[in-house]
Amino acid sequence: MRKRQKTDRSRPVDPVVLERLRWCAHPRLYLAQLTDPERAGLGDDPGVDAVVEHYLDRGAEAGPRICALFNPDWYAERLAELGLAVPEGEAPFLHWLTVGWERKVVPTPLFDPAWYLEHHPALRSHPRWVFHHYLTRGCYQPQWLPSPAGRHHGGAPDDDAARRQDPLFLPELLHRADEHDLRRTSWLEAGVLALLEKRSRIESDELREQIAKAAELEPRIHAAMRAELPTIAPPHAHPGSRMVDEVAAARASLGLGTGDTVDTIVLVPHCRMSGSARVAGLFTEAARAAGGADSVAVIATDLPAFERPELFPEDVRVLDLTRHIAGMAQPARRDLLHDLLRGLRPRQVVLINSLLGWQLVSELGDQLAEVMDVGAYLFTWELDENGHPYGYPVGPFQHSFEHLSWVLFDSERMRSELVDRYLMHEEASRRLIFLRNPLADWSVDVTGVFERRRAAGVPLRALWAGRFDRQKRFDLVVEIARMLPDLEICAWGKPVLRDLDLDPADLPPNIRLMGVYDGFDQLPLDDVDFLLYTSGWDGIPNVVLEGAQSGLPIVASAVGGVPEVVTPETGYPVADTDEPAAYVAAIERLLADPAAATRRSTLLREQVHELFDADAYRSTIAGLLEHGGA
């Protein structure tokens, strides 16, 4: 039996190797292989650094895998093809981080570089190894197809997956973990290998000849293979057995007996710091106020994260459905949710960014609408790299609209765009309702802060708050900082820059990354001059409303519903949203007249407090729940 290498921590790890190791580390996989005492020694929620440290101290010698995209047996086979082998006593993974990485050996059956490039040709000009792209980006985003076996998962987008280094396929890899030695393989890898073996037989010369003859009779035989479904293995028992058990368990988790019902069910993807989570909380509170205690339940359908429970009333039932559907393929997840809802018999179910909920209504909405009203919230569509819209307002909405009793929009522009896009007649468009969401319940007022700070001659400072992703256009913030070196930009939010190919170490010195914030009212609003907002597309973002509510002057991109709030009379809208110079010009107008900035921010604060009224919101929601879309 091969002896494991004992890592000598007295010698520093090569910085290049350490960097690669950090890219590759998947904490949840590593923890799944440790004993209870070992896991306890790492604390409640160890991150990448703690796991890497433990691996170098003990794991490399003991043998647990730290990377889900490294399979030791597969790596040994690929090395053998090159006439190489892992030296006696050396940990295979550490060997790959040096020798294998330099030779571009792909150490997993879950990734096929030729397939990846064929299906994502834009990556042919990518400056780094294509496997590096999947390892550091693609495995956290559902649109990337890594191999002929598909995406390897049936999950949903997760904005926080890359920060936690938790690949979307990891639940499938950990499925039936007790049946596999995770140090060497998994349920997912075994399934992919079986599929690849079947493909190899299909591609034999003999079978190709038979297929060619058959194609003369049926040309569609040559249609492309479908690669969008996750790799799944046949269950040991009929899936209906688990379905019944999990539906019963989900009801019990809600604290409901067999005959109990709930009047309104709100479907959310999860609950993290986001505008949609706040809206879900507002809607739930209004529904609870209209229907009373125990009238509302919230079901999280896509990710096991409910980090903002304070957004919801304390007496509202909350169910994490993800633990009841783990390991199931999408159709089974959809059917389980369908059975659960029909058993609970609500008067209405409301979709608020729930991917599974939209899939259910798109595919089985006719059955659902027979027994309950279905409502939804839509905020904005996404834009791809070519500027084409996608997301819930496109395919899911189009496929589901006939089953929806009503749809709420927090932006009049978004509502109008959908009416025009789908050429809706008046009766259909009446089901689309523009409703301003009430402001957060806090009273910070820094009106006049810009004028006071300019009079005091302190350094100019902007506040930027949001996600570091393609939508929020942090790349524009970088260019603005370079063009205005005397402007200090304090950027608050999740420190995830992967989506932009930006290195925090290369940022201009006048950008300060401040970290994650727990609420806009917790930010040091007295110490900044204005709010800078650079999103490339949006609805009416909460951060703009909260900035307006606080009395800060606002320089903002005029996208989506933002012009419904920030106008030339109330702030400094930027029409040319792709040009850093346009933001710089707006900031210079702001600097030219501090008194005018105060007048605009004062007017804006008055308008949002008048228009975004909680009583009007609750009244509208109560009417919808009582009368539906009529």
Side-chain angles (χ1 to χ4, degrees):
M1 182 175 180
R2 175 182 294 174
K3 295 181 179 179
R4 294 285 181 187
Q5 177 189 30
K6 184 173 178 59
T7 307
D8 182 2
R9 295 311 309 281
S10 64
R11 293 181 301 169
V13 180
D14 182 281
V16 173
V17 174
L18 183 60
E19 181 182 33
R20 292 171 182 172
L21 175 55
R22 292 182 187 279
W23 287 335
C24 296
H26 299 139
R28 190 147 66 110
L29 170 67
Y30 189 70
L31 294 172
Q33 301 165 76
L34 301 184
T35 64
D36 290 341
E38 287 174 326
R39 282 194 293 270
L42 279 166
D44 293 335
D45 187 21
V48 172
D49 290 342
V51 165
V52 166
E53 184 73 15
H54 190 277
Y55 176 80
L56 290 173
D57 281 339
R58 305 176 188 179
E61 178 183 5
R65 280 196 291 176
I66 192 173
C67 178
L69 291 170
F70 178 83
N71 181 294
D73 296 331
W74 182 272
Y75 178 56
E77 292 173 7
R78 303 291 79 75
L79 278 184
E81 293 170 358
L82 300 174
L84 300 173
V86 178
E88 185 73 21
E90 183 171 354
F93 181 60
L94 295 179
H95 182 273
W96 174 73
L97 289 177
T98 53
V99 177
W101 188 288
E102 294 300 329
R103 290 177 175 265
K104 291 184 168 52
V105 177
V106 174
T108 174
L110 302 182
F111 182 80
D112 182 329
W115 177 275
Y116 202 58
L117 286 174
E118 178 186 350
H119 289 77
H120 307 291
L123 291 177
R124 297 186 188 280
S125 60
H126 189 68
R128 290 186 169 181
W129 183 20
V130 67
F131 180 61
H132 174 272
H133 180 277
Y134 183 68
L135 176 71
T136 58
R137 182 178 305 176
C139 68
Y140 304 115
Q141 300 174 353
Q143 68 266 33
W144 300 100
L145 298 173
S147 84
R151 293 185 175 88
H152 308 319
H153 67 88
D158 179 358
D159 292 339
D160 206 31
R163 181 190 66 80
R164 293 180 286 106
Q165 297 195 193
D166 199 26
L168 296 181
F169 63 76
L170 206 54
E172 277 72 17
L173 189 141
L174 294 174
H175 181 50
R176 295 179 181 167
D178 57 345
E179 300 174 15
H180 297 86
D181 180 1
L182 289 180
R183 294 172 299 175
R184 310 206 67 80
T185 188
S186 66
W187 173 85
L188 176 61
E189 290 158 293
V192 169
L193 287 171
L195 185 144
L196 295 179
E197 173 62 24
K198 290 179 180 178
R199 280 182 62 91
S200 68
R201 293 199 298 270
I202 291 173
E203 293 171 353
S204 68
D205 291 340
E206 181 181 357
L207 196 55
R208 284 179 183 274
E209 183 179 348
Q210 294 179 23
I211 292 173
K213 292 179 180 179
E216 294 177 1
L217 301 174
E218 177 47 82
R220 285 180 297 176
I221 285 176
H222 282 309
M225 291 185 70
R226 295 183 63 185
E228 73 273 17
L229 296 178
T231 304
I232 57 174
H236 294 303
H238 192 279
S241 301
R242 182 186 173 193
M243 185 85 65
V244 172
D245 292 342
E246 295 294 354
V247 168
R251 288 186 64 98
S253 296
L254 278 170
L256 297 173
T258 303
D260 295 334
T261 62
V262 176
D263 194 58
T264 302
I265 292 179
V266 182
L267 301 181
V268 299
H270 48 70
C271 182
R272 291 184 172 152
M273 174 72 77
S274 68
S276 62
R278 178 176 174 268
V279 172
L282 290 171
F283 180 90
T284 302
E285 189 277 330
R288 186 248 180 263
D294 296 326
S295 64
V296 188
V298 177
I299 300 179
T301 61
D302 301 337
L303 290 171
F306 211 83
E307 300 165 359
R308 308 284 294 180
E310 70 277 6
L311 294 176
F312 296 86
E314 292 184 358
D315 58 355
V316 165
R317 305 175 191 271
V318 175
L319 169 66
D320 172 17
L321 189 66
T322 62
R323 63 191 182 92
H324 299 286
I325 59 178
M328 292 183 177
Q330 190 278 332
R333 298 179 185 208
R334 175 205 64 198
D335 290 345
L336 190 149
L337 177 60
H338 186 222
D339 288 355
L340 177 62
L341 292 178
R342 289 179 67 94
L344 292 173
R345 302 195 301 266
R347 288 181 57 201
Q348 54 265 320
V349 60
V350 183
L351 314 181
I352 305 183
N353 273 13
S354 163
L355 175 62
L356 187 60
W358 278 107
Q359 290 170 339
L360 170 61
V361 178
S362 296
E363 298 165 14
L364 300 176
D366 54 342
Q367 300 178 36
L368 210 62
E370 288 179 356
V371 292
M372 65 191 73
D373 286 337
V374 182
Y377 248 106
L378 286 177
F379 303 103
T380 184
W381 35 43
E382 304 292 321
L383 297 178
D384 64 19
E385 294 180 354
N386 298 313
H388 300 142
Y390 69 97
Y392 294 133
V394 186
F397 172 75
Q398 186 176 10
H399 299 152
S400 305
F401 182 61
E402 64 179 305
H403 311 305
L404 298 175
S405 300
W406 47 265
V407 185
L408 291 176
F409 299 84
D410 65 351
S411 162
E412 176 60 43
R413 178 171 177 174
M414 184 72 216
R415 179 192 178 279
S416 300
E417 286 178 346
L418 286 189
V419 170
D420 293 341
R421 180 184 180 92
Y422 298 116
L423 302 176
M424 291 187 179
H425 53 75
E426 184 178 355
E427 181 181 356
S429 66
R430 279 201 296 266
R431 284 187 276 155
L432 275 56
I433 302 166
F434 166 51
L435 178 62
R436 294 184 177 93
N437 300 317
L439 298 175
D441 187 18
W442 50 274
S443 58
V444 174
D445 183 3
V446 294
T447 302
V449 65
F450 177 71
E451 198 171 1
R452 293 192 296 271
R453 285 177 55 84
R454 293 306 89 227
V458 296
L460 185 65
R461 182 177 294 157
L463 165 68
W464 186 95
R467 298 186 308 274
F468 294 91
D469 62 8
R470 191 168 60 87
Q471 177 189 356
K472 300 304 181 183
R473 294 301 306 270
F474 193 74
D475 57 314
L476 290 174
V477 179
V478 173
E479 294 305 313
I480 294 167
R482 288 175 177 151
M483 296 172 72
L484 293 175
D486 292 332
L487 170 65
E488 181 182 23
I489 301 177
C490 297
W492 293 82
K494 293 182 179 179
V496 179
L497 296 173
R498 295 173 188 265
D499 196 33
L500 300 173
D501 286 329
L502 289 175
D503 184 350
D506 292 336
L507 295 178
N510 52 328
I511 290 182
R512 294 173 56 199
L513 299 182
M514 308 300 293
V516 178
Y517 64 102
D518 193 44
F520 196 85
D521 58 320
Q522 303 299 313
L523 298 178
L525 303 181
D526 282 317
D527 294 330
V528 297
D529 291 275
F530 64 96
L531 172 66
L532 175 63
Y533 192 72
T534 56
S535 186
W537 65 89
D538 225 320
I540 297 184
N542 280 326
V543 68
V544 168
L545 288 178
E546 291 171 331
Q549 181 183 13
S550 73
L552 276 178
I554 298 178
V555 175
S557 52
V559 296
V562 175
E564 298 172 34
V565 179
V566 181
T567 68
E569 291 73 35
T570 61
Y572 299 83
V574 176
D576 199 352
T577 57
D578 292 329
E579 289 298 326
Y583 290 90
V584 171
I587 294 170
E588 289 174 344
R589 290 196 302 274
L590 175 74
L591 286 169
D593 193 344
T598 298
R599 289 195 296 272
R600 294 186 192 192
S601 62
T602 300
L603 177 60
L604 178 56
R605 188 170 189 270
E606 292 172 352
Q607 287 185 358
V608 297
H609 277 279
E610 178 182 352
L611 295 175
F612 295 82
D613 179 68
D615 291 337
Y617 178 86
R618 294 191 189 100
S619 176
T620 301
I621 297 301
L624 280 176
L625 298 183
E626 182 176 358
H627 305 295

